[in-house]
Amino acid sequence: TLLCCGAAWAGAPVRDIRAEEAGRVQDSAVLRRAAYSRDARTRAAAFRAMGRVQSPAYLRALAVGLYDRDRAVRAEAVFALGQTAMPDSLGDADRDKVASSLAGLARKAPASLRPEAAAALGKTGGRAAERTLAGLLSSADGRLRGEAALALFHLKFLKRVPDHSTATVSALTAVFTDALTRVSVGAAAPNWPR
């Protein structure tokens, strides 16, 4: 059953989703319909496949997935958006929209989703993403601080920012003293010799 605007769709077994993913189908009707399935596992599989394909054609479905009622499905959509923002083929306007959505989630989503949003934001790039991530380094949530520090490393590693700003370096230096090993390692990584 397919309803207008993807309200429901019964079908797209996981093997069909995997076949579209394996074929790297850039604009798959199967994946787009599966993103609106009544079954959470199907929606999650569709978003996972979209992230692996990394096609801008899936940005709209992934944006809708950010607000899915199932936490695991939302997490897949967040991760997939980060993956989709990685290739240089994504235009600046689309990359900015993805970064803006992820930055909002990293700051205001339920606590369980914020670290995933920070990690995905580290794949998008730009000074706005860097400022958001640097701001998250002062969070009371150790996992969020750790993901933000690692995401800042990814921004630099993926050459999404030429160099970290002075404010970011100061924030990373401060978080380096954090007792959590994951945060300390993440904070140290951007300063490793090249």
Side-chain angles (χ1 to χ4, degrees), residues 140-146 175-186:
D141 180 346
R143 183 167 173 246
L144 180 57
R145 288 191 313 271
V175 81
F176 183 71
T177 61
D178 194 306
L180 295 173
T181 304
R182 185 173 185 181
V183 174
S184 297
V185 169

Side-chain angles (χ1 to χ4, degrees), residues 67-107:
Y67 302 98
D68 195 276
R69 63 189 171 274
D70 185 278
R71 189 243 178 261
V73 174
R74 285 192 310 269
E76 288 289 353
V78 166
F79 182 80
L81 266 176
Q83 291 297 103
T84 302
M86 284 178 61
D88 290 333
S89 60
L90 188 65
D92 289 340
D94 285 335
R95 189 180 313 283
D96 289 345
K97 288 178 188 175
V98 169
S100 178
S101 294
L102 292 171
L105 286 172
R107 289 189 304 265

Side-chain angles (χ1 to χ4, degrees), residues 118-161:
L121 186 57
K123 300 171 188 172
T124 62
R127 290 293 179 196
E130 179 185 9
R131 281 189 300 273
T132 297
L133 291 167
L136 296 175
L137 292 175
S138 62
S139 169
D141 180 346
R143 183 167 173 246
L144 180 57
R145 288 191 313 271
E147 289 297 343
L150 290 170
L152 284 163
F153 166 73
H154 288 134
L155 281 178
K156 182 76 171 118
F157 180 76
L158 295 171
K159 299 180 177 153
R160 299 292 188 220
V161 292

